[in-house]
Amino acid sequence: ALARGTPGVGVSVYLQVADVDRFAARMKKRRVRLLLPPKTQFYGARECAVADTDGYRLVFYSVAAAAAPGADG
């Protein structure tokens, strides 16, 4: 539920990084709690997410490696 007057609630900010897996490992090392561990999304981005102290959801992403042709599974 969205709380009225609460900064950042319901807002996601997307920030591109060179390597999201390496970035997430650095955040874990600094004891930052990840809301979403690195995951490849269906739209071609590999993402991880954290929440800042004001409730903003910060989504860090990098472009996922393209699957080999015919590698549908």
Side-chain angles (χ1 to χ4, degrees):
L2 300 178
R4 285 185 183 262
T6 304
V9 173
V11 176
S12 294
V13 178
Y14 281 74
L15 303 158
Q16 187 172 14
V17 295
D19 182 340
V20 76
D21 292 290
R22 178 179 276 167
F23 182 82
R26 284 184 17 225
M27 292 297 101
K28 281 184 175 180
K29 198 178 234 183
R30 293 182 175 140
R31 298 187 181 169
V32 174
R33 187 174 74 83
L34 297 176
L35 298 175
L36 172 71
K39 178 180 178 182
T40 301
Q41 303 295 347
F42 71 92
Y43 42 84
R46 185 153 176 82
E47 304 175 346
C48 71
V50 300
D52 79 356
T53 55
D54 290 321
Y56 291 93
R57 181 180 170 110
L58 305 176
V59 181
F60 297 92
Y61 75 95
S62 55
V63 177
D72 306 358

